[in-house]
Amino acid sequence: ASPAAIPQRQLFIDGEWRAPALGRRIPVVNPSTEAHIGEVPAGTAEDIDAAVKAARAALKRNRGRDWARAPGAVRAKYLRAIAAKITERKPELAKLEALDCGKPYDEATWDMDDVAGCFEFFAGLAEALDKKQNTPVSLPENFKCHLRREPIGVVGLITPWNYPLLMATWKVAPALAAGCTAVLKPSELASVTCLELADVCKEVGLPSGVLNIVTGLGPDAGAPLAAHPDVDKVSFTGSSATGQKIMTAAATMVKPVSLELGGKSPIVVFDDVDIDKAVEWTLFGCFWTNGQICSATSRLLIHKKIAKEFIERMVAWAKNIKVSDPLEEGCRLGPVVSEGQYEKIKKFVANAKNEGATILTGGVRPKHLEKGYYIEPTIITDVSTSMEIWREEVFGPVLCVKDFSTEDEAIELANDTHYGLAGAVLSADRERCQRVAEEIDAGAIWVNCSQPCFCQAPWGGNKRSGFGRELGDGGLDIYLNVKQITEYTSDEPWGWYKPPSKI
């Protein structure tokens, strides 16, 4: 792809393209070729401040009647218009995402369908919000009460690079549907499609300042957004370490946060499965999105009875995965996002080997790809529960394997983690699947599959994987405050204090 493949954009503030205050830009590197293919603006605290001011003005415009207090049906029209434009631009957006973060093109097109679907879903919830307003609450006589659901205000949205536009949409769509105004700070490693979302917003005539998009480095733009005194809430998806910093920054102002952080999720496979079907789901659960999934089921727990046969089949399937340029037809594993991530993953594999684990397959650059941040699908056995590879999130195409003998042992191993984002259980026994699903301490459990995610169902983690739930019918709630309005309906005086004597 030529450098022209990446549109030359500025920051999106108050409905207009604006050059960053300090004039800096960040190079965009294609992870499959290591070539510079463009650049994105590098916003700083000055730009964040301008974006927050624009969001605040949009929230308050016409005393909120233009957006925040407008009927949900008004906001829904804009969300549906955005969804239609995303669908119209799907091939171009999917290509940009593949070039920017290395995601296989087929996956990127799938993501764009999900982006459009998510905007549509929250448009529906914005309309439904109108019907939920002024819900009556039953009170004792002489009192009437009803509830209002009101936008929390200006929200700061900080998103990751593994699903650049989709993860942004998971926050932008509900925030706007709720009547909030927003400042989005995408990851500096993959901001290109988020700037195209700004172009879509311009095209559909989204009121100025409702959504502002400031690209830039985490410390330069993300940190000032999280700490900004005029931001009412921060929603963040990313690493646990950054999540801790965001929580700390928000704590000084008692600012609510929603955090979707890392994971080290288990996939438990019993001895009654169809081996090939289970192998495919196991590999998809860890190698999809080039292994860069917060919910990756990267710890395989396999029943001893079938462990040898299952692992042999799994290695054969893994060697058959097409690793190539993401734009090549049939690509099923592209490069990881950056040189930094590439080196980090290689270090995890080397450490596992040094600690005594066996690298059964992968862990190296594919022979046919001399350039790009490619790592072959990697399967690691002879793993103990004290090893780094068992405990820490790799965020790459690396699966570690441990066997078990009993259901109780499997559950104990599955829960042997600080994280609690997701988990999977594969078995022909439905009752067993139900038992294990209830026992695993995580926010999402897959039965006889791994990774499918739908905007109709709530998403989020337990333990150090964060808190708050995105998506689902309750997906608006994290962007709303509930206000009770209580009225005294009697004509009688309250009669608590003795009235002064009349003169």
Side-chain angles (χ1 to χ4, degrees), residues 10-26:
Q10 300 289 10
L11 304 175
F12 186 63
I13 298 173
D14 205 16
E16 298 297 334
W17 297 114
R18 263 190 220 181
L22 302 185
R24 296 177 189 160
R25 294 185 76 82
I26 300 167

Side-chain angles (χ1 to χ4, degrees), residues 374-394:
Y374 292 96
I375 295 171
E376 283 184 358
T378 306
I379 298 171
I380 300 179
T381 56
D382 302 316
V383 172
S384 73
T385 58
S386 61
M387 286 182 186
E388 177 191 61
I389 202 72
W390 174 265
R391 310 211 70 82
E392 298 300 323
E393 182 176 43
V394 175

